[in-house]
């Protein structure tokens, strides 16, 4: 064991090159030429291999699609004596870090549950002034979060361009403010040609809404006599869901991580998470860093996935 | 079938029920059921005559259980618990018995947990018995499971099972067309004969996939809409085109109505035994606000104490769950 460690420290590059054959999805051969772009790709491959070796993860067992539920910003802020907006800002910083890490580990798709439809609390007519003030605070928080998401999209464009991430924004467009819609559209257009990694931001999204809107589209097609109700099957319905942008291979998350100790799905990716491994952690989202992420990935890699075929369930 | 099973000495499933003469009086009232000083029953034994066991220890266990239930009833109790029954084969391997026998012991665990749930006041219980994906498994195993199902349904129909004594309503959720003819007929007959029962509701998901349930609901909703439009067009002599815009949009409630679980409340707790943390295509639509739990116990070992622990964990998370549920009622 010590001899092999000595070998790694003395000849790091040789050790890393031996692991290249495991990294299938990058599609590079061992012998790279001296072209600068290939040097850059080789550099990235080196980074990936180093990252994997350092963290003890195995490349062939890496999930292709990870879904994240960002929970706990407010509680994190309260615990540290910050204000709620600062908690959300810290959440944004943590998100950027996790997206960078995902690219470093070679995870092709990341879906982020930014804001649910349940988070919208509509102000109701009430004569009680404290309730009204509470409701106005909550609507302010909603406005702040929308503005923060828009800022995050614009500020992280450099990351998206550098790592060749294609950005998709899914969710109910009628609930989003116009400026966020514009930012989302711009980001999608600028990153349309990227195909290496995918980032889906689920804003004003809910799993049931997704299925209902797919049902509405199919109902319209049935009414227009383009198809019969009996023809509707799973793949057709899946094709109308919002996460269809990733296609069949990547559409369903392999791993769904939920922070802050909540043991629920909360209406996120209902259909797509049928066979996902769920990972629940008590850490609050702004504290979810590299160590926690590696722990989650290691837990995923140690699980045996059967998809209902080798056991009863 | 007749492989002698070796049961552990401390039987987790000893359950007190009145003596055979009084079994019919069980259905009269739950209070009578709970307060009767009764001999204990081992539901794992096949013949009804052998099921009744008397003993001081059994009565003491009965008393302890009632005390425990009374204590936990002070907190909010779940109305509907769903089980993903994982671990039958591993149980059989551990105990060195035949694999088919693992599923049989699993069935006894279903009955026992149904009785415990009934005693606790949990009215609805759902079990994930067989997935559509499981048809791809070893044909012998699939066949033995189907035979087990037919056998147990026939027992209930012939009034020989404990389930029947409870005035239990049995539902079968799933695409029954995929089952063989005798199994399907037996299931439909059982559903029809227990449709009017007012006791606990046991829903058996066989063969079930949540995605196919949703697809089924979607196609039914589409067909319904088409017929609605057709009916309007036929009845509308003057052909006013503006009519098509007046329909309300398809909503969550429309899909809810066409799910297999229409009429049943959503599960409060989903328990997946044997420690795996995934839903495996089970009740995806209905478990939005359910508390997910995954104890490491294998399904045949899942007994009263595990159920109590599950309920206690649910009670701990209850305030938060309720808050989110109330919020979601106003939204999609």
């Amino acid at each position: 064991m010590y001899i092999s460690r000595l070998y790694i420290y003395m000849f790091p590059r040789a050790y890393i090159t031996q692991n290249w054959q495991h990294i299938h999805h990058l599609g590079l051969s061992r012998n790279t030429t001296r072209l600068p772009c290939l040097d850059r790709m080789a550099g990235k491959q080196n980074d990936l291999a180093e990252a994997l070796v350092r963290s003890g993860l195995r490349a062939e067992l890496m999930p292709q699609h990870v879904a994240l539920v960002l929970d706990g910003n407010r509680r994190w802020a309260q615990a540290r004596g910050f204000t709620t907006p600062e908690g959300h800002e810290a959440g944004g910083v943590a998100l950027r870090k996790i997206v960078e890490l995902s690219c470093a580990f070679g995870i092709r798709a990341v879906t982020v549950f930014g804001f649910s439809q349940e988070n919208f609390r509509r102000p109701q007519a009430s004569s009680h002034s404290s309730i009204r003030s509470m409701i106005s605070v909550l609507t302010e928080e909603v406005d702040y979060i929308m503005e923060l998401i828009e800022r995050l999209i614009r500020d992280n464009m450099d990351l998206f361009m550098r790592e060749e991430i294609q950005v998709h924004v899914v969710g109910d467009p009628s609930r989003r403010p116009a400026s966020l819609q514009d930012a989302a559209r711009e980001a999608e257009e600028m990153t349309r040609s990227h195909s290496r990694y995918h980032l889906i931001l689920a804003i004003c999204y809910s799993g049931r809404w997704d299925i209902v809107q797919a049902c509405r589209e199919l109902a319209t097609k049935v009414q227009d006599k383009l198809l019969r109700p009996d023809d509707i099957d799973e793949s057709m319905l899946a094709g109308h869901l919002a996460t269809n942008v990733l296609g069949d291979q990547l559409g369903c998350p392999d791993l769904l991580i939920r922070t802050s100790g909540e043991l629920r799905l909360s209406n996120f990716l209902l259909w797509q998470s049928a066979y996902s491994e769920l990972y629940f952690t008590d850490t609050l989202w702004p504290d979810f860093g590299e160590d926690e992420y590696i722990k989650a990935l290691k837990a995923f890699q140690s699980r045996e996935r059967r998809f209902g075929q080798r056991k009863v369930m | 079938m007749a492989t002698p099973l070796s049961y552990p000495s401390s039987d987790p499933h000893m359950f007190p029920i009145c003596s055979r003469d009084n079994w019919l009086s069980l259905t009269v009232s739950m209070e009578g059921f709970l307060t009767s000083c009764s001999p204990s029953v081992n539901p794992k034994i096949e013949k009804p005559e052998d099921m009744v066991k008397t003993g001081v220890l059994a009565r003491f266990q009965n008393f302890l259980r009632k005390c425990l239930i009374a204590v936990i009833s002070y907190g909010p109790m779940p109305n509907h618990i769903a089980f993903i029954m994982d671990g039958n084969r591993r149980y059989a391997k551990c105990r060195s018995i035949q694999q088919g026998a693992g599923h049989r012991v699993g069935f006894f665990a279903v009955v026992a947990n149904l009785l415990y749930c009934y005693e606790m006041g949990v009215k609805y219980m759902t079990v994930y018995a067989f997935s559509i994906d499981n048809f791809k498994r070893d044909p012998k195993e699939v066949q033995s499971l189907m035979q087990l199902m037919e056998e147990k349904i026939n027992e209930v129909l012939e009034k020989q099972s404990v389930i029947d004594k409870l005035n239990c309503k049995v539902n079968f959720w799933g695409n029954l067309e995929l089952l063989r003819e005798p199994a399907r007929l037996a299931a439909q007959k059982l559903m029809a004969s227990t449709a009017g029962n007012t006791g606990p509701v046991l829903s058996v998901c066989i063969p079930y996939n949540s995605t196919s349930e949703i697809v089924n609901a979607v196609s039914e909703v589409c067909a319904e809409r088409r017929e609605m439009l057709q009916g309007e067009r036929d009845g509308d002599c003057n052909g006013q085109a503006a009519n098509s815009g007046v329909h309300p949009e398809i909503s969550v409630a429309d899909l809810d109505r066409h799910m297999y679980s229409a009429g049943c409340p959503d599960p409060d707790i989903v328990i997946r035994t044997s420690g795996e943390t995934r839903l495996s295509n089970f009740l995806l639509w209905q478990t939005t606000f359910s508390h997910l739990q995954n104890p490491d116990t294998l399904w045949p070992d899942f007994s009263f104490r595990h159920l109590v622990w599950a309920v206690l964990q649910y009670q701990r998370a209850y305030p938060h769950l309720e808050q989110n549920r109330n919020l979601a009622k106003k939204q999609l």
Side-chain angles (χ1 to χ4, degrees), chain A residues 78-259:
Chain A
Q78 272 172 5
R80 281 167 175 66
F82 297 139
T83 60
T84 310
E86 284 168 342
H88 290 303
E89 294 274 355
V93 167
L95 178 60
R96 184 189 167 107
K97 188 139 180 258
I98 294 294
V99 170
E100 281 173 349
L101 274 172
S102 303
C103 296
F105 287 142
I107 294 171
R108 294 273 321 272
V110 174
T111 303
V112 172
F113 195 28
F115 194 80
S116 150
Q117 295 207 353
E118 277 104 33
N119 296 126
F120 274 110
R121 303 182 199 204
R122 292 213 178 92
Q124 291 168 20
S126 168
S127 56
H128 208 283
S129 60
S130 66
I131 293 177
R132 255 186 287 143
S133 62
M134 184 172 74
I135 288 169
S136 67
V137 161
L138 294 170
T139 35
E140 272 175 28
E141 187 184 344
V142 165
D143 294 336
Y144 179 80
I145 292 173
M146 291 291 155
E147 190 240 333
L148 171 68
I149 294 171
E150 186 190 331
R151 226 178 334 119
L152 278 176
I153 294 175
R154 290 196 203 277
D155 293 345
N156 287 313
M157 279 309 293
D158 64 312
L159 172 66
F160 301 149
M161 302 308 283
R162 190 179 73 227
E163 297 283 357
E164 294 173 44
I165 301 175
Q166 191 178 81
V167 176
H168 314 267
V169 177
V170 302
D172 192 357
S174 58
R175 298 276 188 96
R176 294 182 227 148
S179 54
L180 179 56
Q181 291 273 70
D182 293 334
R185 208 176 312 126
E186 274 171 32
E188 283 177 352
E189 274 170 21
M190 282 179 68
T191 55
R192 198 180 295 271
S193 57
H194 300 162
S195 59
R196 197 160 158 193
Y197 298 115
H198 297 266
L199 173 67
I200 298 184
L201 294 170
I203 302 169
C204 307
Y205 177 89
S206 105
R208 289 189 182 186
W209 167 84
D210 202 2
I211 293 172
V212 167
Q213 64 90 20
C215 181
R216 285 176 191 164
E217 283 178 21
L218 287 168
T220 321
K221 283 193 180 166
V222 164
Q223 282 164 19
D224 295 338
K225 300 218 181 3
L226 292 170
L227 93 118
R228 291 174 307 157
D230 298 332
D231 295 337
I232 299 175
D233 62 0
E234 292 186 24
S235 50
M236 194 183 293
L237 186 60
H240 283 85
L241 292 174
T243 49
N244 180 47
V245 288
L246 295 178
D248 286 332
Q249 296 296 322
L250 285 181
C252 297
D254 297 310
L255 174 62
L256 195 147
I257 299 177
R258 177 149 198 172
T259 53

Side-chain angles (χ1 to χ4, degrees), chain B residues 17 23 64 77 106 108 124 140 199 205 210 213 217 219 222 242 264 286 295:
Chain B
I17 291 187
W23 268 347
L64 274 184
M77 291 297 280
F108 293 131
Y124 296 89
K140 272 187 268 183
C205 294
S210 190
E213 179 190 24
S219 72
C222 290
C264 252
Q286 295 89 340

Side-chain angles (χ1 to χ4, degrees), chain B residues 85-125:
Chain B
M85 308 188 294
D86 206 357
N88 294 326
R89 277 177 50 162
R90 265 169 279 179
Y91 180 87
K93 216 165 152 184
C94 268
R95 311 277 167 146
S96 311
I97 53 182
Q98 267 187 11
Q99 278 174 6
H103 294 306
R104 273 182 194 274
V105 184
F107 171 75
F108 293 131
V110 170
V111 173
N113 281 295
L114 174 65
L115 294 169
Y116 298 142
C117 284
Y118 181 49
E119 210 179 329
M120 282 185 178
V122 176
K123 188 158 184 225
Y124 296 89
M125 179 170 150

